[in-house]
Amino acid sequence: MSEIENKTEHGSMDGATAGTAGDPKNDTGLGLGVIFFIVAFLICFLSGWLLFPKLLYSKHEQPFNFDHVLHVEETGDCESCHYLREDGTFSGIPKTESCLDCHTDEPMGDTKDEAIFAGDYVAKEQEVPWYVYARQPDCVFFSHAAHINAAGMDCKSCHGPIDETRTSRPYEENKLTGYSRDIWGKNIWGIKKNSWDRMKMNDCAVCHEKETGHKGYCFQCHK
Amino acid sequence: MKVDRRSFLGLGIGAVAGIAISPVGAKLTDDFSIWTQNWPWTPVPPDGEVSYDRTVCHLCPGACGISVRKIDGRPVKIEGLDPYPVNNGGVCLHGIAGLQYLYDPSRVKSPMKKVNNRFVPISWDEALTMVADRLGELRNDQKPDTLACITGSDQGSVPGLFKHFMAAFGSPNYLTMPDLESWLVRTAKTLHGDAYTLGFDIDHSDFILSFGAGLIDGWGSPVACIQTMGNRRQRQATLVQIEPRLSNTAASANQWIPINPGTEADLAMGMCAVLLKENLFDPVFAQGFKGGFMRFTAMVQKEYPLDKVAGVTGISAADIQKTAVAFAKAKMPVALPGKGRGEGAQNLKEFAAVHTLNCLSGNVNKQGGTFVKPLPKYLNFPDPVQDAVALKGAAAAPLAGSVQELVTRIDKSGESPVKALLVYNANPCFALNDPSRIRAAFEKIPFKVCVTSFMDETAMVSDVILPVSTFLERMEDVPSKAGLAATVVGLSKPMIKPVFNTRSPGDVVIGMARALGGDMAKNFAWDSYDACLEQVTARIWGPLVRKGHVVLSENLPAGSVETDFEFLAQNPETVKPAGDLEFTLIPIDYFRVPPTVPAPSPFAIKTVSDRILKGTDMFVEINPQSAKNLKDGGFATLTTPAGSVPVRVHFNDGIMPGVIGMVKGLGHTLDNKYVSGKGVNINALISPKIEPDSGMDAAFGIKAGISKA
Ligand code: SF4
């Protein structure tokens, strides 16, 4: 920010000096105009890139840190906690109750996070209000079963190597839409390198077109 | 330094250019479009764990299996349950809107008593004590038979508990509202003796002769019937629909035969005459013809010759002859009684005459025909222990055979012979003909208790309201009814804890008995209704809980059954619409508007066509030929001997000239802004006409006049 301010100030002073250097009135105007243009351009351009994302997204810390690596080591795979039910519905984020298979209201280790979990949630029989990075809008019907079972897809294809994370990064929420930043993607232009970088409608369509030869019909996902 | 216009121009253009090649524009456009779809003031249900649970819908006699989708245990959607022997995955618009009843504005949220014509909330203890005190007085005065009870239906364990209550209390005055099932039981009783009901295997029949039965307009088990009608063409089954108006069912039939309203019984008798004359009846089945067959044969030949029947019904003699012969010659014919939904005012003569056609065809207790099946007996209530007061009271002669008859009795006596009234799951003050007369009669009863979920028209005239949980909040056995071939008992389970301070109706009966104490309490020694249900359904409880339903009569009922013609042989009189005005006003059973309990959901009301209800305006249908100076869409005054109302006119070529049709079930005055004050209750325009033989109100329509407003 201060860099921008510096540039702003110098810019206008330079402009002022140039203007008084003896040119006719018109030239002074033109010079000033150019300088104003450059200054405004730079402010807006840089704000758009640097400031705007900061303003658009608010950050929330998860209630406590969750170590996926540790849990995958202990349980063996993703499916122990995130599984498909018999009727094809996806269990999503585990409820506190399912954590009780291993955890009790006595912390298992001596981490701060474990203490929070045991004390604030297990002991009080409360659900952990996790922020869900991948949550889609209500109008989107998404079947995990169709993708995991029928298409044989890997969790990673959409969620990335989440099993390799030791810390829960902050959840960034779009202040206008209320959705997770993960849906649009970290890159402010929405450019993606990995398949899991963005999860907008078009990303579904692109993959569907590639895999099935057809983008799919509206009602398949919008119910 | 001079800052001029150009500088500003530079500033502006610079800003625009800067923004333009930053991601702001693209990103904001995207976000704004999403924002407009997710306006924060739009209510969105909270997210959570998805689960499905199964239960049975009992919003109508259909008894469909349903699957309830829940988010964190909160029901959010109802779907049809597949497989389920009644509805195979189907569900109707009332079923899917079932959730709205949970939060309906007219729900009674806690027990209430009436003080100075206003209801005030009270505790359950106070309410039950109050009821017990007042009812206890009747027993102390040795007059237990002055208690009357009206329920919506008499099947299942909850009506069973009310009956048990009345027996233990000592009153024979237990009455049910007329529904299709009760008419079928009455018909079976008249022709085949006690303890039977009729079922129809429409699914397999190849010739369906329907006397106005609204097979896709809500007759019987609606979803099951609609599905049957859906595959009728593949089965190449013929449907002949006889009714005065081109209903949806008539429109989908192979043949629609318009008939003068209220003359269906005469037509059926005329057809019987044809079959008997031409010797087209089944000789094997005829061996079971007892009581009055010869007299019946002679009588129909004499009283129902083709020409005469043609004159009365408005159907040509040739058509009557042709249809009767086609029916008799079909392999698996079935004749269906019960106009529209078959509820409310119907007449026994018509039901009996139509069923006689089935008996003559011999297609009884055979696939694709009519089943004379024993009444489902899966409930085993212990015999009531009656004290001396109860024994004396229960032995007294019943005051009436129907609610309308009871109302007439009260009407005619200076002081009401009924001193206390229990009403459960019924809304006689709306659903029966001439509701204002019913309200007036109820006003004469000193103490009325309404066991209901909604502040409906009958609840409003009662003294105490005991609020019950809706079908999604309680456990109950739900027997399928109304003419299905098989009898399926489903188990409805609580899908959610009661939203308000309500109890299951079974617990309410047990609570009343306990509060009465003494022998009454002893007769209801169950810990709770759930324990009672488990005990009385003991025979099928295991599979009922495991599978959620039990099919009681999978096999065809026993082959032979005796048929008694005495009732028809006397040629009972056909009830004619009252009055002598020019037109005949008939009620239309329209599937989107339930005519009885509960009132339509806000969702169902939204789906009613603009040609039936526009804003609060009620439309009546009339054939343009008989409309004279009326205008399509214009206002008119409809008058019957019972009253006069403003309506709007809808020209319909599909209704017989001389007939005015009006949808039944609108015009509620209950405490629900989405449903109340919309249209007119047609029952208010029809005065009851008691059929002498059945004691039931048989006034299906009434004479009416219509003039430009
Ligand atoms: S037909 Fe009756 S039982 Fe079946 S879903 Fe509709 S309202 Fe419920």
Side-chain angles (χ1 to χ4, degrees), chain B residues 57-64 66 90-95 221-223 591:
Chain B
C57 173
H58 33 126
L59 288 170
C60 88
C64 298
I66 50 173
V91 67
C92 80
L93 83 158
H94 306 298
S221 184
V223 173
F591 191 42

Side-chain angles (χ1 to χ4, degrees), chain A residues 12 16 25-26 29-30 32-33 36-37 40-41 44-45 48-49 52 56-57 85 87 89 91 95 135 138 174 176-177 179 184 188-189 200, chain B residues 1-4 6-7 10-11 13-15 17-19 21-24 26-28 30-32 34-35 38 44-45 47 49-50 52 72:
Chain A
S12 38
K25 205 171 76 187
N26 279 356
L30 187 62
L32 259 183
F36 270 67
F37 172 87
F41 176 84
C44 290
F45 178 75
W49 279 98
F52 168 64
L56 185 62
Y57 291 102
R85 299 195 194 86
D87 62 4
T89 55
S91 61
K95 302 250 136 187
R135 174 155 296 147
D138 273 332
N174 186 312
L176 265 179
T177 64
Y179 292 128
W184 171 268
I188 197 68
W189 267 118
K200 299 236 348 146
Chain B
M1 181 181 82
K2 196 158 168 256
V3 181
D4 62 1
R6 283 194 203 175
S7 318
L11 194 73
I13 297 170
I19 296 279
I21 55 171
S22 82
V24 172
K27 177 74 176 131
L28 276 186
D30 185 82
D31 283 352
F32 267 121
I34 299 173
W35 176 71
N38 290 290
V44 177
D47 226 327
E49 190 182 0
V50 177
Y52 291 86
D72 278 344

Side-chain angles (χ1 to χ4, degrees), chain B residues 368-415:
Chain B
T370 310
F371 296 165
V372 178
K373 24 178 217 178
L375 281 173
K377 275 218 185 67
Y378 66 94
L379 293 171
N380 280 311
F381 275 96
D383 288 335
V385 181
Q386 293 169 307
D387 54 19
V389 182
L391 278 172
K392 194 167 145 259
L399 284 169
S402 70
V403 181
Q404 282 288 15
E405 221 178 20
L406 183 74
V407 166
T408 311
R409 282 289 295 264
I410 299 172
D411 230 7
K412 287 201 179 131
S413 357
E415 197 183 315

